[in-house]
Amino acid sequence: MRTRRARPAILPPSFYNRPTLTVAEDLLGKVLVHRTPAGITAGMIVETEAYIGEDDPACHAAPGPTARNAPLYGPPGVAYVYLNYGIHYLVNAVTEAKGHPAAVLIRALEPVDGLALMRHRRAPDGRHIDDHDLCRGPGNLTRALGITLAENQLNLHHGALVIEDRGVRGEVVAWGPRIGIRVATDRPWRCWLAENRSVSGPRSRA
DNA sequence: CGTTCGATGCACT
DNA sequence: GTGCATCGAACGT
């Protein structure tokens, strides 16, 4: 107790080796950190979505194992990054035991560290972006943190891309249908911190 | 405010 | 060839 180690509490693989809906909610309030030569950027997770198994039509595992979705079938606690609409990288945390394809999509962060770098990555031309919009939306947050295909399959419990528990207490959690998909829209597998201004989608009514 | 629509790469049929 | 787990500029009200 004379000396206290400042090492952050990185979430262990066992955190992810649980039911995906549980992980999706427990990730709220945790901090996604990316260390690059350009600097450190980090944000508190405020919105997630669960994609669960081959029986979930919206999950990338729905067609069965392919080259792209291979990380979903691997061990929990690994990043699954893919390119969407040819423009945006989306980052997931793989969940559940190996062989059970499932993941949590990280949809929005509240910026914590490296806001200047985030702004530069989001708007090299210098156009103004409100702080709460820097990591609002799954495509925006990967851009702000500099996450690309190079980060696909990285372990989230050590290395350049990690998720930490900085002791933030959970606020009020809300659940609703997933956004941006055209199938299985009836499953309320999106969760977010109510009243957080970094949450994506139409300006909510708590 | 609201809605529409083009950009842009690639996995999968 | 088709269709995306998106974003933001460009309109309309």
Side-chain angles (χ1 to χ4, degrees):
Chain A
M1 47 218 74
R2 317 272 129 63
T3 62
R4 180 188 285 270
R5 194 172 292 231
R7 179 190 296 273
I10 297 179
L11 300 178
S14 58
F15 176 93
Y16 304 93
N17 190 9
R18 296 184 297 156
T20 302
L21 292 175
T22 302
V23 178
E25 176 165 348
D26 285 355
L27 278 175
L28 299 177
K30 304 301 189 291
V31 179
L32 179 64
V33 183
H34 192 206
R35 295 177 170 83
T36 70
I40 296 177
T41 43
M44 182 178 74
I45 298 170
V46 299
E47 179 185 4
T48 60
E49 279 177 2
Y51 290 85
I52 311 173
E54 296 179 350
D55 292 335
D56 175 4
C59 181
H60 281 188
T66 66
R68 178 177 69 160
N69 67 25
L72 294 177
Y73 289 83
V78 170
Y80 169 50
V81 184
Y82 72 95
L83 180 64
N84 195 39
Y85 289 102
I87 303 174
H88 305 288
Y89 296 105
L90 273 57
V91 61
N92 299 249
V94 175
T95 59
E96 310 206 17
K98 185 175 181 179
H100 294 256
V104 172
L105 169 69
I106 300 175
R107 287 195 55 91
L109 310 173
E110 180 179 300
V112 173
D113 293 327
L115 273 68
L117 181 52
M118 290 181 183
R119 269 190 290 271
H120 181 256
R121 284 171 173 154
R122 285 290 314 281
D125 56 3
R127 83 183 157 84
H128 174 76
I129 302 178
D130 187 83
D131 284 356
H132 281 99
D133 291 332
L134 282 172
C135 301
R136 184 168 184 260
N140 286 334
L141 77 90
T142 54
R143 188 142 167 78
L145 266 62
I147 295 173
T148 70
L149 237 40
E151 279 69 42
N152 190 31
Q153 292 189 274
L154 290 185
N155 288 319
L156 291 169
H157 45 93
H158 67 80
L161 186 64
V162 297
I163 300 180
E164 301 175 354
D165 183 351
R166 297 192 180 180
V168 176
R169 270 320 196 175
E171 306 166 40
V172 178
V173 175
W175 288 87
R178 293 174 292 185
I179 289 181
I181 56 173
R182 316 189 45 148
V183 293
T185 52
D186 56 319
R187 305 184 190 194
W189 288 356
R190 168 178 177 249
C191 63
W192 65 95
L193 293 181
E195 302 178 12
N196 189 290
R197 300 200 43 233
S198 294
V199 172
S200 74
R203 282 300 179 195
S204 68
R205 358 116 273 179

